[in-house]
Amino acid sequence: MSALLRAMLASKRSAALTVVFWIVLTGVLAGVAPDLKSVEDNSSANSAPAASDSSVAQRELERAFPGSDALPAVVVVKAEDGPAATAAVTRAAGAVRQGTGMPVSPVCGQDGTKPGTDCVPGGEGLTSADGKTRVVIVPVTGDATSDAFKDAVADLRTAVKDAAPAATVAVTGPAGIIVDTVKVFSSGDKVLLLGTVLLVLVILLVVYRSPLLALVPLLAVGVAMRVTESVGAVLADAGAVTISGQTASIMTVLLFGVGTDYALIITSRYREALVDAGDRFAAMREALRGTAESVLASASTIVLAMFALLACASPALRGFGPYLALGVAVMAVVAFTFIPAAVLLCGRAVFWPFSEAAMARRATGGAVWRRAADLVVAAPRRVLAGTLVLLAVLALGMTGYKESFDFVSGFRVGTDSAAGQTMIDRDLGPGEIAPSTLLVRGRNLAPAQVEAVRSAVAPQAARTAFDPRRDMAAGAARITVVLKDNPYSSAAMDAVGPLRSSAAAAARDAGIADARVLVAGPTAETADIKSALDRDMLVLVPLVLLIVGLVLGWLLRSVLAPVYLLATLLLSFLATLGLTVAITVWLGGDAGIGNRVTAYVFIFLVSLGVDYNIFIMSRYRQESERRAPVEALRAAITRTGGVVSSAGLILAGTFAVLMTQPIRELYQFGMAMAIGILLDTFVVRPLLVPAIVRLLGDRALWPRRPAPAAAETAAEPVRG
């Protein structure tokens, strides 16, 4: 690899060939790969594990009752009085049948029909006490993320609203919610990309004050992103990886952040090498030698952490890693080939309007970082105490930590499904938005036995429904159960287990032979998702820490250093999550932290936050080979201060762009990552870690010992 890099960067001609190679490769891959959006899978990413109880229940329900895979769209109609509501529902139901061809399950008798297979039994629960609010259930079939499904729900919304213009009408329920979720996700894509590009460009211009040097990283990120998207689309089309809209959004900010980080590290070392190197090509080779280990360790940490997600049970996490690992790996290769080649190809013009000499002098470190180094060297105990107190205070926000699994409450823009859910919650009861289904299996099932089961679980529910003419099949029966709480709340999820147990006991008492009871529906599925996520965190935390620790140990040739560096990462993570909870839940009024946000923040903050520890500690190890430990520490803080701080600002800024997204999960994730990266950049890396290193002295990299020049520092007293 070393020989290959030397060949690629030996002259302007070879540098030009390197740039042309990447441009041609990008074009070829883009030409043969399918469009990324055409292969995105936004449904399985939000599902429970295939082996979970709710997934098994849903599959058995569909086998026993064909058509049960349809997602219900819940049409809510509110009028001035009961008769007006009845008339509006009748017109809406008729419009659905005639205009969309969809089957309709109205409340028994509300449209003049007699109770039977064409209506929902127990219809009293679907009409408000004052009669002004009524509900129509419309099952929608097909892939919930397909254009046909989205068009069907859109046609449904148009039909029912046109049919009842005098009433307030909304379409919600699982079908309406998932369509709105996909729509809200897709609406922010262009804003995300444009915002990220502009932010990174502005920060790079401020850092470099050289237009060409600011554009090179953006071009590199563009190449890496296009290659990643093309390869990812091919793999997704072949079924090898799963890519969701959320994964694609995070990939955008990840590549911009990581790519510009690597560009800053390499070009900063290049400018530094220009001071002593004989020519630009020699300076670039020296820069790559100086940064190779740290960039490789950084990329390896992120890639391995992403692959660690394959150990997860929940599809949301398991399918998340491979595509992002691919992106970071491609970005690292592009950073070590395209960026150096592009910089060399531009020659002196890359620094315009400044000279090479001026840019080289700026790379040796600024006065701010020299003062930070002086502070850490002079008073390490006070610096350590102050930073620990700050992080501990921020971590206190964790006392208010709670999670939310309600997607509708996470929309940061108005949606039809959210409006409908509010109407149902207020007028009919929160459970009506997404009822659960009890599936009772056994030999010699009879309606009376199933009715006994329904009666037994009725006290645990807001209402129950069972009609033997539509809810009985060979060896199976289904009971509709509307829970008393919001179907996506913790209280509803906690009710699933007792509900299943009560139904199973009642089935045995009723004499059903070989009785089995399963619970299907959104609440049971959400409960299984929560269980899988809880289990995954118990696996992920030690696995990711082990991966990061091994990479740090390899890079620093130390056993002790990974221990205290991992401790700083954990403390930074707790402080980050605590401050995020305080801002979004305590002050912002969010229902809770999005259910996957904590896992995402841990994975990304640990794998990305360790980058800055890698950069400073790698430089400290290099400097300690020829300097005393104190001077090595000074040099590491001073020489990495400017570039790492600039990289941290860019990385924090790119993740902060996610806060423009209209989804709570992305908003909270973006905020948490911005907070965490800023803490790592301006507290952990320049103050906390150096203070620990200063206090440990020549034992900081144990069992590795510093160079003989350390003797003078080993005897120096530590103050502060």
Side-chain angles (χ1 to χ4, degrees):
M1 183 61 70
S2 166
L4 178 61
L5 282 175
R6 283 198 300 272
M8 295 172 72
L9 305 174
S11 64
K12 266 201 170 184
R13 181 174 178 274
S14 59
L17 288 175
T18 301
V19 171
V20 170
F21 165 79
W22 278 110
I23 292 173
V24 172
L25 178 64
T26 302
V28 170
L29 289 175
V32 300
D35 180 65
L36 185 64
K37 284 196 174 296
S38 69
V39 296
E40 284 182 359
D41 180 0
N42 293 301
S43 57
S44 63
N46 298 309
S47 302
S52 64
D53 290 344
S54 61
S55 297
V56 172
Q58 185 62 39
R59 289 194 294 270
E60 292 203 18
L61 184 65
E62 291 169 14
R63 282 196 294 268
F65 299 94
S68 297
D69 58 334
L71 285 177
V74 180
V75 181
V76 194
V77 179
K78 184 177 179 65
E80 295 180 356
D81 53 40
T86 301
V89 165
T90 300
R91 291 195 299 273
V96 172
R97 287 194 183 94
Q98 296 172 10
T100 68
M102 293 181 180
V104 178
S105 298
V107 175
C108 295
Q110 70 178 15
D111 62 348
T113 64
K114 294 181 179 180
T117 57
D118 192 36
C119 62
V120 176
E124 67 281 355
L126 301 181
T127 303
S128 62
D130 59 8
K132 296 180 180 180
T133 304
R134 291 178 176 255
V135 163
V136 175
I137 308 297
V138 182
V140 186
T141 58
D143 178 5
T145 60
S146 67
D147 289 338
F149 191 95
K150 289 183 282 187
D151 291 343
V153 173
D155 291 344
L156 171 64
R157 283 173 165 157
T158 300
V160 295
K161 290 178 181 180
D162 288 348
T168 301
V169 181
V171 176
T172 183
I177 291 171
I178 195 168
V179 168
D180 285 345
T181 301
V182 173
K183 181 180 178 181
V184 169
F185 262 120
S186 61
S187 68
D189 285 351
K190 292 181 180 178
V191 174
L192 178 66
L193 181 59
L194 181 61
T196 304
V197 171
L198 290 177
L199 178 69
V200 172
L201 180 59
V202 168
I203 296 177
L204 286 174
L205 286 171
V206 171
V207 171
Y208 286 134
R209 289 175 280 177
S210 172
L212 277 178
L213 201 54
L215 285 174
V216 167
L218 291 179
L219 291 174
V221 172
V223 168
M225 182 177 295
R226 199 67 190 93
V227 170
T228 300
E229 288 179 348
S230 299
V231 175
V234 170
L235 293 175
D237 194 41
V241 299
T242 301
I243 302 173
S244 67
Q246 190 170 15
T247 306
S249 296
I250 293 175
M251 174 66 87
T252 299
V253 299
L254 179 64
L255 287 189
F256 271 98
V258 170
T260 50
D261 273 12
Y262 294 163
L264 283 165
I265 296 298
I266 293 169
T267 56
S268 174
R269 200 63 173 262
Y270 169 63
R271 290 184 293 148
E272 191 178 327
L274 283 171
V275 175
D276 301 316
D279 59 66
R280 291 191 297 276
F281 296 93
M284 184 59 78
R285 289 193 293 271
E286 176 62 28
L288 294 181
R289 277 194 296 270
T291 57
E293 276 194 340
S294 56
V295 172
L296 176 61
S298 166
S300 299
T301 301
I302 301 171
V303 169
L304 291 173
M306 293 300 108
F307 276 119
L309 292 168
L310 293 175
C312 295
S314 54
L317 295 181
R318 185 177 175 82
F320 194 71
Y323 181 56
L324 296 180
L326 170 68
V328 173
V330 170
M331 188 68 252
V333 176
V334 171
F336 255 88
T337 54
F338 181 91
I339 290 175
V343 169
L344 291 173
L345 196 59
C346 292
R348 290 187 180 88
V350 77
F351 298 124
W352 183 86
F354 301 97
S355 66
E356 262 186 5
M359 293 295 275
R361 286 193 300 272
R362 285 176 53 195
T364 59
V368 171
W369 301 110
R370 285 193 290 272
R371 286 196 292 270
D374 291 341
L375 175 64
V376 170
V377 168
R381 289 191 178 90
R382 279 183 284 173
V383 171
L384 178 62
T387 52
L388 289 178
V389 167
L390 172 63
L391 295 176
V393 168
L394 295 180
L396 290 175
M398 286 292 292
T399 57
Y401 179 83
K402 58 181 178 179
E403 291 181 338
S404 174
F405 287 79
D406 187 352
F407 273 102
V408 175
S409 71
F411 293 152
R412 300 180 63 81
V413 293
T415 62
D416 201 42
S417 56
Q421 181 164 319
T422 299
M423 292 166 62
I424 289 176
D425 188 34
R426 183 183 60 238
D427 299 340
L428 299 170
E432 295 289 352
I433 189 70
S436 297
T437 301
L438 274 177
L439 179 65
V440 182
R441 308 294 309 249
R443 291 186 290 108
N444 303 321
L445 273 178
Q449 294 171 313
V450 180
E451 179 58 34
V453 175
R454 186 202 66 79
S455 299
V457 300
Q460 297 172 251
R463 72 176 181 88
T464 56
F466 166 68
D467 181 351
R469 289 167 293 184
R470 59 190 294 275
D471 292 326
M472 289 287 294
R478 61 184 179 184
I479 302 170
T480 299
V481 178
V482 176
L483 298 173
K484 298 175 181 178
D485 300 290
N486 182 321
Y488 305 98
S489 67
S490 296
M493 288 187 280
D494 291 342
V496 171
L499 180 69
R500 184 189 298 114
S501 298
S502 298
R508 290 192 296 270
D509 293 343
I512 300 175
D514 300 326
R516 289 177 60 229
V517 175
L518 301 169
V519 183
T523 304
E525 183 178 27
T526 304
D528 285 338
I529 291 173
K530 182 180 185 302
S531 296
L533 288 172
D534 290 344
R535 173 263 181 200
D536 289 343
M537 283 298 290
L538 294 176
V539 172
L540 274 180
V541 171
L543 183 56
V544 172
L545 292 179
L546 176 62
I547 289 170
V548 173
L550 290 174
V551 173
L552 286 172
W554 165 79
L555 174 70
L556 301 175
R557 317 299 196 266
S558 171
V559 174
L560 178 60
V563 175
Y564 60 78
L565 292 176
L566 288 176
T568 65
L569 288 173
L570 282 175
L571 186 54
S572 175
F573 166 70
L574 292 175
T576 295
L577 205 55
L579 184 55
T580 304
V581 169
I583 294 173
T584 61
V585 179
W586 290 4
L587 300 178
D590 281 355
I593 297 294
N595 57 85
R596 287 170 289 181
V597 170
T598 300
Y600 289 170
V601 172
F602 176 78
I603 288 287
F604 281 95
L605 194 58
V606 170
S607 59
L608 292 174
V610 76
D611 280 4
Y612 303 137
N613 285 340
I614 285 173
F615 295 142
I616 188 172
M617 292 301 292
S618 175
R619 190 60 181 263
Y620 173 72
R621 181 178 67 82
Q622 293 173 7
E623 296 291 340
S624 67
E625 293 174 356
R626 58 181 182 272
R627 301 173 187 258
V630 168
E631 294 310 312
L633 185 60
R634 285 183 187 275
I637 296 173
T638 304
R639 294 297 178 90
T640 65
V643 63
V644 170
S645 298
S646 300
L649 284 173
I650 290 174
L651 190 59
T654 54
F655 276 103
V657 175
L658 286 172
M659 294 172 64
T660 64
Q661 298 301 283
I663 296 287
R664 175 187 56 209
E665 278 69 21
L666 286 179
Y667 171 81
Q668 292 177 343
F669 175 59
M671 175 185 290
M673 288 302 301
I675 291 171
I677 291 165
L678 291 176
L679 285 175
D680 283 335
T681 303
F682 294 104
V683 178
V684 175
R685 181 205 58 85
L687 298 174
L688 178 58
V689 169
I692 295 172
V693 172
R694 172 70 173 121
L695 289 169
L696 290 173
D698 61 2
R699 299 182 301 279
L701 295 178
W702 184 88
R704 186 179 181 276
R705 306 293 293 182
E712 61 183 77
T713 305
E716 180 184 333
V718 176
R719 300 185 299 275

